[in-house]
């Protein structure tokens, strides 16, 4: 998967959390050895043993995190604000002393006191942090609020020439929207996962963020979009998690059209009428789906693709059968369409 992500053109691959297990450590070390065009970064808490394990994994970048919300500090960390600041600064300083590129994440940043969040960020920038990350750990942000927080951090954390990242979860279905809003507001980087896989409701889907930033915001990104579908399919297979048909960008229905109005009135004459981008640009194909909402033009299209002359009587007969199936709650598959066409043709031959 790491090699496929490298082919896709991602800037940075978070390969794992080396302290978790020996297997995880070996995996991170192997990925760091094999991947050369993308940065390989490994995760660590602010503990020195975590950082040492990352160093031993031979990666050149580390992602250090600690929670900054009062809720997390009190009930999970059982640490005061001062202790959290000290732990963060010491961890960043130690990692930098070993020559690592450091990204520092404030876990649960979006439920943190903004002034305290800025204080922590400023302290770690002073200690040498190369990147800061605003983590929406439980997905409670919405786009306008995320944009405001990004601007607040930008305006108040000084010096260091740091890059600003966001890490969004999808608990309220806004991870991608929050990520895109953050970039538009001045964030330099967004964390994402292929197909949005992740804890609970998942993370922001990388393919959706990249497509929105490229095709809607018109920003240049390094992603090779024609490979997105291939990588999505691989992740789905390896994780055992099917891609929902209506999933944006890579779902089976993302560029499928059934409505007769859409097909006749637009797609067949100019695809841009009902497609925001060319499906081929993201490794997908256009599909004209035949169902109860289809019109004659869809049947004509299907017949021509089968190499069959679309006579009016044939088109009407096939369309009638398709709509009958639709009224029964049955959606005609490609095999069903082929069978119906053959049955109608055979019936006509018998009559002749």
């Amino acid at each position: 998967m790491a090699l496929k992500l490298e082919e896709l053109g991602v800037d940075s691959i978070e390969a794992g959390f080396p302290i978790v297990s020996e297997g995880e450590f070996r995996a991170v070390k192997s990925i760091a050895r094999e991947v050369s065009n993308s940065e390989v970064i490994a995760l660590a808490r602010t503990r020195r043993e975590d950082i040492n394990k990352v160093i031993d994994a031979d990666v050149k970048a580390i992602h250090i995190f600690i929670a900054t919300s009062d809720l997390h500090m009190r009930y999970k960390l059982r640490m005061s604000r001062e202790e959290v600041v000290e732990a963060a600064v010491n961890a960043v300083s130690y990692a930098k002393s070993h020559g690592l590129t450091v990204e520092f994440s404030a876990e649960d940043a979006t439920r943190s006191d903004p002034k305290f969040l800025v204080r922590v960020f400023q302290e770690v920038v002073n200690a040498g942090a190369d990147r800061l990350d605003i983590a929406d750990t439980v997905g409670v942000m919405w786009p306008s609020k995320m944009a405001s927080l990004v601007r607040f951090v930008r305006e108040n954390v000084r010096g260091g020439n740091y890059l600003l990242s966001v890490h969004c979860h999808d608990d309220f279905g806004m991870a991608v929207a929050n990520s895109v809003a953050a970039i538009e507001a001045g964030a330099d980087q967004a964390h994402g996962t292929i197909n949005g896989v992740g804890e609970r409701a998942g993370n922001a889907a990388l393919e959706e963020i990249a497509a929105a930033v490229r095709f809607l915001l018109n920003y240049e990104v390094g992603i090779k979009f024609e490979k997105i579908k291939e990588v999505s399919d691989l992740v789905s297979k390896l994780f055992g998690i099917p891609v929902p048909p209506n999933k944006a960008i890579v779902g089976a229905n993302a560029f499928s059209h059934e409505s007769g109005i859409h097909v006749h009135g637009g797609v067949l004459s100019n695809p841009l009428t009902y497609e925001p981008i060319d499906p081929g640009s993201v490794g997908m194909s256009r599909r004209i789906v035949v169902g109860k909402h289809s019109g004659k033009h869809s049947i004509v299209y299907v017949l021509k693709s089968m190499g069959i002359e679309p006579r009016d009587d044939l088109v009407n007969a096939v369309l009638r059968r398709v709509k009958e199936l639709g009224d029964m709650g049955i959606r005609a598959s490609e095999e069903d369409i082929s069978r119906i066409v053959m049955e109608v043709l055979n019936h006509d031959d018998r009559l002749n």
Side-chain angles (χ1 to χ4, degrees):
M1 263 186 46
L3 293 174
K4 280 295 182 184
L5 289 172
E6 182 183 33
E7 286 181 18
L8 183 61
V10 301
D11 296 301
S12 183
I13 300 170
E14 187 168 291
F17 198 169
I19 197 70
V20 164
S21 70
E22 188 59 28
E24 185 102 346
F25 169 76
R26 290 197 304 270
V28 172
K29 192 166 187 174
S30 176
I31 290 168
R33 184 173 61 247
E34 296 291 333
V35 171
S36 57
N37 293 327
S38 298
E39 175 191 73
V40 176
I41 189 167
L43 193 62
R45 294 166 295 187
T46 53
R47 300 176 184 179
R48 187 159 292 196
E49 60 267 31
D50 284 28
I51 299 171
N52 287 336
K53 203 69 174 176
V54 169
I55 293 168
D56 291 342
D58 296 331
V59 300
K60 297 178 181 179
I62 188 169
H63 179 190
I64 297 172
F65 71 95
I66 192 169
T68 55
S69 70
D70 291 326
L71 182 66
H72 275 235
M73 288 188 288
R74 178 178 179 183
Y75 291 101
K76 187 184 77 170
L77 298 178
R78 301 187 185 282
M79 295 169 67
S80 68
R81 288 188 173 191
E82 295 304 318
E83 288 171 327
V84 165
V85 172
E86 182 180 7
V89 169
N90 288 343
V92 170
S93 298
Y94 183 69
K96 288 300 293 183
S97 73
H98 286 81
L100 294 172
T101 297
V102 176
E103 176 154 354
F104 173 82
S105 272
E107 185 183 11
D108 207 27
T110 55
R111 293 193 296 181
S112 301
D113 173 358
K115 292 182 179 178
F116 178 64
L117 177 66
V118 162
R119 180 190 167 195
V120 175
F121 278 163
Q122 186 66 68
E123 292 283 359
V124 297
V125 165
N126 294 345
D130 302 284
R131 304 174 198 148
L132 303 176
D133 177 49
I134 298 169
D136 189 22
T137 303
V138 290
V140 296
M141 295 300 267
W142 55 93
S144 60
K145 190 173 183 182
M146 178 60 89
S148 294
L149 183 57
V150 166
R151 287 191 289 266
F152 182 76
V153 170
R154 274 286 188 218
E155 291 165 2
N156 290 281
V157 179
R158 306 295 184 180
N161 197 29
Y162 63 88
L163 297 180
L164 184 59
S165 307
V166 291
H167 176 103
C168 299
H169 281 263
D170 206 33
D171 296 76
F172 284 89
M174 289 186 283
V176 170
N178 287 334
S179 300
V180 175
I183 290 171
E184 190 176 29
D188 305 290
Q189 175 178 277
H191 297 181
T193 62
I194 299 297
N195 298 340
V197 296
E199 290 281 345
R200 303 182 314 279
N203 290 64
L206 184 149
E207 64 279 0
E208 295 180 24
I209 299 173
V213 169
R214 174 64 187 89
F215 298 112
L216 300 181
L217 299 186
N218 294 315
Y219 293 176
E220 288 300 324
V221 296
I223 294 296
K224 297 177 178 64
F225 286 96
E226 70 276 7
K227 294 182 178 291
I228 279 184
K229 175 59 175 171
E230 179 184 343
V231 180
S232 169
D233 288 344
L234 177 66
V235 170
S236 177
K237 177 183 176 182
L238 294 180
F239 281 44
I241 303 175
V243 176
N246 62 330
K247 168 80 168 60
I249 306 299
V250 294
N253 292 346
F255 298 96
S256 295
H257 308 273
E258 178 184 340
S259 168
I261 296 172
H262 288 201
V263 173
H264 177 208
V267 174
L268 293 182
S269 60
N270 186 334
L272 287 175
T273 52
Y274 287 102
E275 289 175 351
I277 58 175
D278 179 354
S281 66
V282 289
M284 296 289 286
S285 300
R286 180 176 304 112
R287 294 171 59 225
I288 303 299
V289 180
V290 178
K292 67 180 292 185
H293 299 105
S294 297
K296 291 182 180 180
H297 286 78
S298 296
I299 304 299
V300 169
Y301 176 87
V302 170
L303 290 173
K304 285 184 176 179
S305 68
M306 295 172 66
I308 298 172
E309 177 64 27
R311 306 188 319 264
D312 286 346
D313 57 339
L314 177 58
V315 169
N316 291 333
V318 172
L319 183 60
R320 183 171 60 253
R321 294 280 297 277
V322 167
K323 289 183 178 290
E324 288 171 356
L325 288 176
D327 286 338
M328 296 166 58
I330 301 171
R331 189 169 191 171
S333 66
E334 291 183 13
E335 292 77 14
D336 291 331
I337 301 301
S338 296
R339 177 179 52 78
I340 290 170
V341 170
M342 291 301 104
E343 287 176 356
V344 172
L345 289 174
N346 288 336
H347 179 264
D348 288 349
D349 288 341
R350 287 196 300 272
L351 291 178
N352 294 332

